[in-house]
Amino acid sequence: MKRSSSHRALVHARSAAMGCVVLLLLVAGAMSSWGSAHHIVLPKGREHGTMTVTGCGGDVCTGPFVPSGQAAARPRVTIEKSVAARRGDRFPVVVKPGTDEVIRTGTPGFLHAWVPLGGALLLAALVIGGGLRLPRIAWGTGIAGATLLMATFIAL
């Protein structure tokens, strides 16, 4: 059966549109992750230290910050509740410049910073498998995203 040129054009247009959706998902996930990850990946010139969780509210946990270098100690800094385990826990952090908000460092903090990218990989896998009909690449993308999310869950 011979296909018409309009049918081939439609197939190519669909593939291009699905490719753009995949690209948009991955770029959005990477940019969302980079908002926190760049403080961990590019640590030079930032205040490093340790935070001890003294209390948690609805979305954030608070506690004192003890610097590991020449930075000033802070009596109260905040961190996302999802990253802070429970009252009394101590972990390494880096202070976001110009704020009293900290980001967890080390392997757990690094993995947590890339969670949006893990979610984007899972969503992109659905588009790659269903829209682009590339099942092997879809499985690889989905497994990479699921692995990142599971490793973060285990590390935290």
Side-chain angles (χ1 to χ4, degrees), residues 106-129:
T107 302
F110 179 81
L111 291 171
H112 183 267
W114 293 105
V115 163
L117 180 60
L121 286 166
L122 282 176
L123 288 173
L126 296 173
V127 177
I128 292 168

Side-chain angles (χ1 to χ4, degrees), residues 7-144:
H7 181 266
R8 284 185 298 222
L10 187 61
V11 169
H12 289 301
R14 181 182 57 91
S15 293
M18 291 296 112
C20 288
V21 170
V22 168
L23 184 63
L24 177 68
L25 284 169
L26 295 178
V27 168
M31 291 193 63
S32 180
S33 294
W34 189 247
S36 294
H38 80 276
H39 297 291
I40 300 166
V41 175
L42 305 171
K44 190 172 182 181
R46 306 210 192 280
E47 297 178 62
H48 293 271
T50 304
M51 176 190 179
T52 304
V53 178
T54 57
C56 291
D59 295 333
V60 296
C61 291
T62 59
F65 171 75
V66 178
S68 59
Q70 298 176 356
R74 298 176 189 219
R76 185 174 185 268
V77 293
T78 60
I79 192 167
E80 282 184 44
K81 188 174 183 177
S82 63
V83 181
R86 58 187 166 271
R87 189 176 187 172
D89 284 353
R90 295 180 65 209
F91 43 82
V93 294
V94 63
V95 179
K96 282 187 175 180
T99 69
D100 284 332
E101 188 177 342
V102 294
I103 298 173
R104 191 169 180 173
T105 58
T107 302
F110 179 81
L111 291 171
H112 183 267
W114 293 105
V115 163
L117 180 60
L121 286 166
L122 282 176
L123 288 173
L126 296 173
V127 177
I128 292 168
L132 293 174
R133 296 187 176 115
L134 298 169
R136 287 184 183 165
I137 295 173
W139 274 105
T141 305
I143 289 171

Side-chain angles (χ1 to χ4, degrees), residues 108 111 147-156:
L111 291 171
T147 301
L148 176 58
L149 295 176
M150 186 59 70
T152 304
F153 179 76
I154 291 168
L156 291 176

